[in-house]
Amino acid sequence: QPRSRGLGDVYKRQEQNRTLMTQPDGSYSERAKDVIRATPFGRLGKAEELNGAVVFLASDDSSFMTGTILPVDGGFSIFSGV
């Protein structure tokens, strides 16, 4: 049975968004500060915080899920009005 599930990870500090989220000196950019203010957890996520959700979505525990996006975003999607 084909299944379609996704992971909605928003705003982690990683190489692909480094120039958007940080200044050359490593401090947060204004964009990053805006995201942090709009996130109930008050910080950017860490890549390793996706591990549990990825394992769950790949396991039989999610076998009856399809067409689903599982947000792992510190509350950003419900708090920011996105």
Side-chain angles (χ1 to χ4, degrees), residues 6 9 19-20 23 26 33-34 37 39 46 48-49 51 58-59 64 71-72 74 77 80:
D9 64 319
T19 57
L20 176 67
Q23 302 290 344
K33 290 175 187 175
D34 288 343
R37 277 191 291 272
T39 302
K46 300 173 193 163
E48 59 269 17
E49 291 175 311
N51 294 349
S59 75
F64 203 61
V72 180
S77 59
S80 68

Side-chain angles (χ1 to χ4, degrees), residues 3-44:
R3 297 182 290 183
S4 173
R5 296 174 302 251
L7 191 60
D9 64 319
V10 177
Y11 300 116
K12 308 182 298 299
R13 193 174 198 172
Q14 57 192 17
E15 188 57 32
Q16 74 186 49
N17 68 3
R18 182 180 48 81
T19 57
L20 176 67
M21 303 304 270
T22 59
Q23 302 290 344
D25 67 2
S27 63
Y28 286 131
S29 67
E30 287 306 311
R31 175 69 178 140
K33 290 175 187 175
D34 288 343
V35 169
I36 290 167
R37 277 191 291 272
T39 302
F41 276 30
R43 63 177 177 82
L44 298 178

